Amino acid sequence: MDDGIVEAFLPPLPKKKSRGGSGDHRRARVDVQLDGGKSMFIKRPYLAYGTAKTVSLVERAVSTYKGRHAKSPKVLIGNMSKRGGGKLKPHLSHRHGVDIDVGYVMLGESLSTTRFEGINQDTLDARKTWDLVKSFLDTGEVRYIFMDYALQKTLYEHAQSIGMSEDELDELFQYPRGRGRSHGIIRHWRSHKNHFHVRFEG
């Protein structure tokens, strides 16, 4: 399956901790369509809707990444939400316009793919993928990034090799604690070997 996301039998996704208070908790409207322009390849434009904030953050992150890798292929974008939000099968998430699936950056013949494909050590471009992931993290608005645990290890080791401090690594990664541990922004979630999933703060 192209997206590799059949999550019906998975445990519930982590929920945002309540901060208390009695403010207005109405959700933002899911009515802004992401325009990939020259920087993104959007697989299903009719499922590329988000809140205005989410779309702006995605555009900012991709712009930052492309500023460093201008000659790289377009960033591959999978599902966000349908217009207006709501259930989007087979996903458990993608309902509120704050989730987006993003392709890993690949090497060799797979570099310009327009499909989510399986990744291994021979096809993953760890340097560019980390730059892409970090561009999302640097928005300061990412709640979680879900990716396969083995790929976490690869990106962790790359980030470590370029001088990221142990404190920063500890804050960002679930690895090396184990895929079941509730720690870090970057966490394991099954069926994320061919793309990573960004969830922004609502």
Side-chain angles (χ1 to χ4, degrees), residues 67-121:
R68 297 190 63 181
H69 302 286
K71 295 183 180 181
S72 291
K74 294 181 178 182
V75 174
L76 182 56
I77 301 295
N79 292 347
M80 293 180 67
S81 294
K82 62 185 179 182
R83 188 171 188 173
K87 292 182 179 180
L88 184 64
K89 293 183 179 180
H91 302 280
L92 294 178
S93 55
H94 293 271
R95 300 184 181 194
H96 305 300
V98 297
D99 297 281
I100 183 169
D101 291 335
V102 184
Y104 296 105
V105 186
M106 303 177 75
L107 294 167
E109 295 179 358
S110 298
L111 182 61
S112 298
T113 183
T114 56
R115 294 175 58 85
F116 286 155
E117 297 183 354
I119 302 291
N120 57 45
Q121 296 293 335

Side-chain angles (χ1 to χ4, degrees), residues 107-176:
L107 294 167
E109 295 179 358
S110 298
L111 182 61
S112 298
T113 183
T114 56
R115 294 175 58 85
F116 286 155
E117 297 183 354
I119 302 291
N120 57 45
Q121 296 293 335
D122 296 325
T123 58
L124 177 70
D125 188 324
R127 179 175 67 91
K128 289 183 180 179
T129 295
W130 175 244
D131 285 346
L132 180 57
V133 169
K134 191 66 163 53
S135 293
F136 280 95
L137 291 168
D138 285 347
T139 65
E141 294 285 347
V142 172
R143 182 174 160 199
Y144 294 112
I145 291 179
F146 299 113
M147 67 171 61
D148 183 76
Y149 192 71
L151 297 178
Q152 275 194 58
K153 178 180 185 293
T154 300
L155 295 186
Y156 179 100
E157 290 174 348
H158 171 75
Q160 189 177 48
S161 75
I162 60 174
M164 180 165 282
S165 72
E166 292 300 320
D167 286 345
E168 289 177 297
L169 291 167
D170 181 71
E171 179 182 358
L172 293 177
F173 285 89
Q174 177 189 49
Y175 178 87

Side-chain angles (χ1 to χ4, degrees), residues 41-53:
F41 179 85
I42 300 175
K43 294 170 59 179
R44 301 179 185 89
Y46 63 95
L47 296 179
Y49 283 87
T51 66
K53 177 181 176 181

